Amino acid sequence: MSGLYDLTIIGGGPAGLYAAFYAGMRDMKVKLIEGKDYLGGFLHHYAEKTIWDIGGIPPLRCDQLIRQLDEQARTFDPSIVFGQRVDGLETLPGGAYRLHTDIGDVHDTKTILVAVGRGITEMTKLNIQGADRYELTNLHYTVQNPEAFKDKRVLISGGGNSAVDWANELVGLAKNITVVHRREEFAAMERSVSRMLESVDARTPFELQELHGQGDVISGVTIKHIESGETELIEVDEVVISHGYTRSYGDLLKWGLDIGSHGIQVTDHTATNLPGIYAAGDCATYSNKVKLIAGAFTDAVLAVNSAMSYIDAEAPAMAYVSSHNEKFRERNRQLHYGGQRSAP
Ligand SMILES: Cc1cc2nc3c(=O)[nH]c(=O)nc-3n(C[C@H](O)[C@H](O)[C@H](O)COP(=O)(O)OP(=O)(O)OC[C@H]3O[C@@H](n4cnc5c(N)ncnc54)[C@H](O)[C@@H]3O)c2cc1C
């Protein structure tokens, strides 16, 4: 895994994963560094949702999309480094770069693709002592599998889009739903809030005060009125905490990249103000930027092609189309004919 790479991608969300695939089509020696222990990026925050708006892909659950992106990214066997946050940037003699990570590793590369999206995100944990012991049973920070809440008494804490969304998702499935929010008003789309309020027991302004457990399972929650201090015990089977998330980019923001209010400023070829460094996906901004998965894919193609031209000015401007690319001949044969016949 050591040595000098043509392209090092920082971030394993949709932009970074698609870039890893596309850079393979360009025969680049590629490394992808992801701060978490898993790939998929922000999609993990809504893994149970169904995605409809990627061209040519029928509606599919986000966790399935993550699996497919992961598989595609590995087509040309890039090096993938997990659990390292890229922090420092050093320019080496000759113009290559050395990246430093939070665990002290270094990674040398000719070009860099910054695909850090919304940063390394962590769910905000419930600030009640000992709450973590229920995380393996019935204290949840995401709703991964709505069916698991069937006929359950569910308490959701939070007042943003995710909390309201999950409440609406579980209406009709759960036995009953209590939504606890520390403010009077919910900070979510008006239509979703009205829909939710028709079907759940909303307690505002309340906050969670204490979890009551039987063994490692929460059986009740004491909630406290923010102003009066009055408390109430609610019996529950499942508790969902939706208190937002924190995000971090490490020291990457100190590299001297041109960063505006909407992200890293790039040209229409995704070039940043630093030579050989490109940005793609949600962290990059330019005129008419599309902050969607489809937009991240387009950015990734542009960035890889720009990096290729930076390394070799004579290289073609883009990869040869996949439909007629010799690279896929044997793979197509395997895919369609199990290697028995010639691929068309
Ligand atoms: C609630 C919600 C719903 C959405 N629904 C849709 C939808 O239906 N359809 C659609 O097209 N788009 C949707 N989007 C937008 C979509 O999620 C983003 O466009 C997409 O995730 C952007 O991908 P990305 O790779 O740029 O960034 P991310 O997905 O944010 O991935 C960035 C990755 O970089 C890693 N990283 C960050 N900093 C470092 C570092 N210093 N070192 C190492 N790794 C690092 C992070 O851990 C993360 O894995 C939605 C967004 C939200 C908020």
Side-chain angles (χ1 to χ4, degrees):
M1 212 184 266
S2 60
L4 181 65
Y5 281 74
D6 292 323
L7 175 69
T8 297
I9 300 163
I10 308 171
L17 290 172
Y18 192 66
F21 164 75
Y22 195 79
M25 274 183 69
R26 303 230 53 183
D27 290 323
M28 295 174 97
K29 189 178 172 192
V30 183
K31 183 185 278 183
L32 185 150
I33 307 175
E34 167 55 51
K36 298 262 196 184
D37 292 330
Y38 48 82
L39 299 170
F42 198 79
L43 306 194
H44 283 278
H45 284 272
Y46 54 97
E48 84 293 353
K49 296 282 184 194
T50 301
I51 306 252
W52 287 75
D53 51 0
I54 302 177
I57 304 230
L60 85 173
R61 264 179 62 126
C62 209
D63 47 9
Q64 179 60 24
L65 177 64
I66 294 171
R67 283 193 283 278
Q68 292 178 195
L69 283 167
D70 183 325
E71 187 183 335
Q72 184 182 40
R74 293 174 196 267
T75 306
F76 299 105
D77 297 322
S79 291
I80 301 183
V81 176
F82 288 99
Q84 292 192 32
R85 187 189 67 214
V86 173
D87 275 333
L89 175 74
E90 178 187 348
T91 307
L92 299 174
Y97 288 111
R98 173 164 293 168
L99 294 166
H100 295 257
T101 71
D102 59 339
I103 64 160
D105 275 12
V106 294
H107 304 273
D108 293 348
T109 185
K110 294 179 191 168
T111 63
I112 297 168
L113 173 54
V114 180
V116 295
R118 290 167 177 254
I120 301 174
T121 54
E122 300 290 349
M123 302 306 283
T124 305
K125 294 289 178 93
L126 180 61
N127 192 15
I128 291 181
Q129 208 181 2
D132 52 341
R133 68 184 250 242
Y134 302 112
E135 284 182 23
L136 289 178
T137 51
N138 61 345
L139 179 66
H140 313 273
Y141 288 95
T142 56
V143 174
Q144 297 284 346
N145 176 18
E147 280 298 317
F149 293 77
K150 196 167 181 330
D151 299 329
K152 303 281 184 69
R153 296 165 300 174
V154 181
L155 183 145
I156 299 175
S157 174
N161 276 313
S162 294
V164 172
D165 234 34
W166 284 334
N168 283 329
E169 183 105 10
L170 296 179
V171 168
L173 196 61
K175 185 174 178 189
N176 60 53
I177 302 170
T178 307
V179 179
V180 178
H181 180 36
R182 61 191 325 278
R183 299 191 202 289
E184 205 65 71
E185 302 293 326
F186 286 90
M189 269 170 36
E190 218 176 294
R191 217 170 34 161
S192 307
V193 175
S194 328
R195 188 149 76 89
M196 177 188 78
L197 292 176
E198 284 168 13
S199 321
V200 309
D201 179 12
R203 300 299 178 89
T204 62
F206 273 90
E207 67 181 1
L208 273 52
Q209 187 186 48
E210 197 180 344
L211 305 178
H212 306 278
Q214 282 178 349
D216 282 338
V217 179
I218 304 168
S219 55
V221 178
T222 299
I223 61 170
K224 185 179 89 176
H225 194 277
I226 297 290
E227 286 143 20
S228 68
E230 155 210 356
T231 60
E232 190 180 332
L233 175 67
I234 299 179
E235 292 184 349
V236 296
D237 300 309
E238 305 288 342
V239 177
V240 179
I241 305 299
S242 178
H243 293 177
Y245 59 89
T246 57
R247 50 160 106 182
S248 125
Y249 291 98
D251 286 344
L252 203 136
L253 304 182
K254 299 179 188 161
W255 290 4
L257 289 164
D258 180 5
I259 300 175
S261 50
H262 296 292
I264 302 169
Q265 193 64 49
V266 295
T267 65
D268 56 1
H269 283 82
T270 72
T272 69
N273 56 317
L274 302 181
I277 303 186
Y278 306 89
D282 274 14
C283 68
T285 189
Y286 50 87
S287 171
N288 298 319
K289 164 80 186 178
V290 175
K291 286 201 178 179
L292 283 176
I293 296 162
F297 293 164
T298 304
D299 287 359
V301 171
L302 289 169
V304 168
N305 287 333
S306 297
M308 189 72 203
S309 300
Y310 179 83
I311 294 170
D312 176 5
E314 304 294 315
M318 56 183 279
Y320 197 56
V321 287
S322 63
S323 57
H324 291 66
N325 195 317
E326 278 299 311
K327 249 180 213 319
F328 295 107
R329 180 175 289 278
E330 184 51 36
R331 290 173 196 263
N332 287 339
R333 194 174 290 147
Q334 290 296 335
L335 207 58
H336 300 298
Y337 308 107
Q340 299 301 303
R341 289 174 46 191
S342 299

